[in-house]
Amino acid sequence: MTVVALVGTQWGDEGKGKITDVLASKADVVARYQGGNNAGHTVVVGDTTYKLHLIPSGILYEGTTCLIGNGVVVDPKVLCEEIAYLHQSGISTANLYVSEKAHLIMPYHRVLDQLEESQRTLKIGTTGRGIGPAYVDKFMRMGVRMLDLKSRESLERAIDQVLPFKNQLLQQVYDHPGFIREELVEEYLAYAETIVPLLADTSLVVHEARQAGKSILLEGAQGTLLDVDHGTYPFVTSSNPTAGGAAPGIGIGPNHINQVIGVVKSYTTRVGEGPFVSELNDATGDLIRERGREFGTTTGRPRRCGWFDAVLVRYAVRVNGLTGLAITLLDVLDALETIKVCVAYEYRGERLEQMPADLEVLKECKPIYQELPGWQVDTTKVQTFADLPLPAKEYLTFLAEQVGCPIQIVSVGPRRDQTMLLQEVF
Ligand code: GDP
Ligand code: IMO
Ligand code: MG
């Protein structure tokens, strides 16, 4: 009986999908606990690439129970499309369950996300999927939930609680025509046909799995620096991707989480706006982007690339209580002669070892780098840590020392067989 939370330690896209898929071979249950289809998790099996936005990355194993927890905001249109996409690929979703309490993304959330972003002077660079506005309604206590899909009456009741407010806002502030109640009801009742049979008390599913001694993996989306509390606010998402978010997001006690694994790139990337101290706006940044195929899974946007930032990951170790690291995309650095690691920031002549909360400070921080030798050897076929080239081993050891957390997994390619397990997880 082990419950493992897997979280992103940087600005998302660390390879959580790949590592979840690898660990899911031994997990009985895989659950998403926050975010929505702003996430894009890639899993490569043989020659096939799967891109998942809502459904947990454990779905490719037939016997694994996959849960979408109450903390996730679900766009039912996207969920239906993703289910259809998996079925077309020959993947069963017979073991997929969705929390009755999860909130729904409605068409007005998507529209508001885009309109609000267009009006902002300080752009966040949201994915435009309606994530922020859906969480706003949840906390305003006017959200439409999965439960409401169970009957026409309950759906109408829920929509009537919120639609007049949304239409007023859309019409009066944004000069948008708004949405027609009957059209929304019909559209969502059509999704209900696919989704209602999947509804479950996902907290109870996890509880019973724990009691039966099963292994449970909680798959985070986004990353620590996108956390609404701990990230680079306001350039963040509207949920808690950090490990603490897993307990309320799935409905388990925090004391039941045994391990917290932080997925971390061997360098740093970010999509969207906001400060990025170790960003490389040069040929090395371009090389990393090309070798790592750093283009967004959800929006296709080129990701901003930079050196590994130990200040960020040290912070992620702290706010998540990380027990182990899964270092990904090590192979991307194979081509480099030397590699830099940002070990601290310099702010107005002062050395900062910890992440400042104030973005005005962070914006002015300059990276203090330590340079390490590269290895210039293809690592994509290496199967054990011992077989890695010496400079690669030294690089990884240096990262672990810098951030104060042991390495549990090393990934040297997108496929399952390009993964080294230094310490068993389940
Ligand atoms: P996620 O959002 O954290 O699941 O990450 P994404 O799927 O958005 O982005 C990670 C990308 O890196 C995907 O294209 C993966 O297939 C790929 N990937 C994961 N691990 C490795 C690795 O070790 N090496 C290489 N070259 N690619 C990897
Ligand atoms: P995965 O799970 C990377 C970023 C967006 C934007 C900010 C807010 O694949 O790692 P939102 O639409 O959430 O309101 O956008 O957060 N963002 C991500 N960046 N990976 C993700 O997910 C992200 N999900 C949101 O680019 O800067
Ligand atoms: Mg992603």
Side-chain angles (χ1 to χ4, degrees):
M1 177 188 65
T2 309
V3 182
V4 176
L6 188 102
V7 300
T9 57
Q10 294 155 316
W11 277 294
D13 303 325
E14 296 92 348
K16 298 177 292 296
K18 176 201 158 154
I19 302 297
T20 299
D21 169 70
V22 168
L23 296 181
S25 68
K26 289 201 184 156
D28 301 292
V29 178
V30 180
R32 279 273 310 266
Y33 59 86
Q34 47 67 235
N37 61 309
N38 48 349
H41 294 184
T42 317
V43 179
V44 180
V45 184
D47 295 334
T48 313
T49 299
Y50 300 92
K51 288 178 194 286
L52 298 163
H53 299 284
L54 268 173
I55 296 178
S57 305
I59 198 74
L60 304 178
Y61 294 94
E62 217 173 323
T64 305
T65 299
C66 286
L67 306 177
I68 297 179
N70 56 278
V72 177
V73 285
V74 182
D75 188 327
K77 180 172 189 282
V78 174
L79 180 58
C80 290
E81 285 166 3
E82 202 156 291
I83 290 170
Y85 155 75
L86 287 171
H87 290 175
Q88 277 157 21
S89 314
I91 309 291
S92 164
T93 56
N95 294 322
L96 173 68
Y97 301 95
V98 182
S99 168
E100 312 167 299
K101 295 180 188 162
H103 281 245
L104 293 172
I105 294 181
M106 305 296 288
Y108 46 78
H109 292 138
R110 287 192 297 264
V111 168
L112 281 168
D113 197 1
Q114 287 154 23
L115 288 171
E116 284 163 359
E117 181 74 0
S118 70
Q119 297 285 311
R120 274 187 195 110
T121 40
L122 208 61
K123 306 268 184 232
I124 295 172
T126 76
T127 59
R129 302 299 193 258
I131 307 295
Y135 277 117
V136 167
D137 280 5
K138 172 175 174 171
F139 286 94
M140 282 285 280
R141 292 149 298 174
M142 48 162 60
V144 182
R145 295 190 297 166
M146 282 292 171
L147 277 167
D148 300 317
L149 290 179
K150 285 188 170 176
S151 73
R152 177 181 288 272
E153 294 69 46
S154 55
L155 182 59
E156 283 177 348
R157 201 179 322 124
I159 288 180
D160 286 343
Q161 287 291 319
V162 56
L163 191 61
F165 290 96
K166 297 296 156 186
N167 277 345
Q168 207 176 352
L169 174 67
L170 284 164
Q171 287 157 2
Q172 293 183 5
V173 176
Y174 294 109
D175 200 22
H176 182 281
F179 289 87
I180 297 165
R181 173 189 191 258
E182 288 66 31
E183 287 181 5
L184 283 188
V185 170
E186 294 311 320
E187 182 186 345
Y188 275 61
L189 283 176
Y191 303 138
E193 285 178 30
T194 305
I195 295 174
V196 169
L198 311 180
L199 297 186
D201 180 344
T202 49
S203 162
L204 186 62
V205 176
V206 171
H207 178 72
E208 287 176 350
R210 267 195 78 246
Q211 288 198 319
K214 301 214 163 138
S215 304
I216 298 157
L217 183 60
L218 309 175
E219 178 184 5
Q222 288 81 52
T224 302
L225 278 306
L226 290 172
D227 186 286
V228 69
D229 286 288
H230 301 292
T232 45
Y233 193 91
F235 303 102
V236 292
T237 192
S238 303
S239 67
N240 288 120
T242 43
I250 197 74
I252 59 165
N255 53 328
H256 291 157
I257 301 174
N258 311 104
Q259 294 180 47
V260 185
I261 298 178
V263 187
V264 53
K265 278 181 176 166
S266 62
Y267 47 93
T268 312
T269 64
R270 158 161 227 180
V271 253
E273 305 302 319
F276 182 170
V277 176
S278 63
E279 185 168 11
L280 287 166
N281 288 307
D282 61 9
T284 309
D286 293 342
L287 182 80
I288 291 176
R289 185 173 309 102
E290 241 167 75
R291 287 186 55 83
R293 301 204 191 120
E294 295 293 358
F295 297 88
T297 310
T298 298
T299 57
R301 289 177 289 179
R303 294 176 183 150
R304 299 157 64 192
C305 298
W307 295 119
F308 186 94
D309 184 338
V311 181
L312 294 190
V313 181
R314 201 176 288 148
Y315 174 70
V317 170
R318 167 158 58 94
V319 298
N320 290 290
L322 296 188
T323 54
L325 297 174
I327 301 202
T328 56
L329 295 119
L330 183 70
D331 54 299
V332 172
L333 304 182
D334 286 355
L336 299 172
E337 211 172 311
T338 56
I339 302 169
K340 288 183 186 169
V341 175
C342 173
V343 293
Y345 298 157
E346 191 199 311
Y347 174 69
R348 298 189 179 176
E350 197 189 330
R351 185 183 168 101
L352 305 183
E353 305 272 345
Q354 300 296 333
M355 177 79 187
D358 187 345
L359 288 205
E360 292 306 313
V361 174
L362 190 63
K363 266 196 322 211
E364 269 191 55
C365 284
K366 301 275 173 290
I368 299 175
Y369 284 125
Q370 185 145 339
E371 194 164 288
L372 287 93
W375 42 94
Q376 296 186 286
V377 172
D378 177 6
T379 58
T380 57
K381 292 180 192 68
V382 177
Q383 293 290 309
T384 64
F385 186 83
D387 288 339
L388 281 168
L390 184 61
K393 283 191 267 198
E394 286 174 347
Y395 179 68
L396 292 172
T397 306
F398 182 74
L399 298 189
E401 279 169 9
Q402 275 295 317
V403 305
C405 187
I407 299 173
Q408 213 162 343
I409 300 168
V410 178
S411 170
V412 288
R415 292 196 320 267
R416 286 174 177 168
D417 60 0
Q418 294 174 304
T419 319
M420 301 165 217
L421 228 60
L422 279 56
Q423 198 193 317
E424 287 297 329
V425 176
F426 290 116

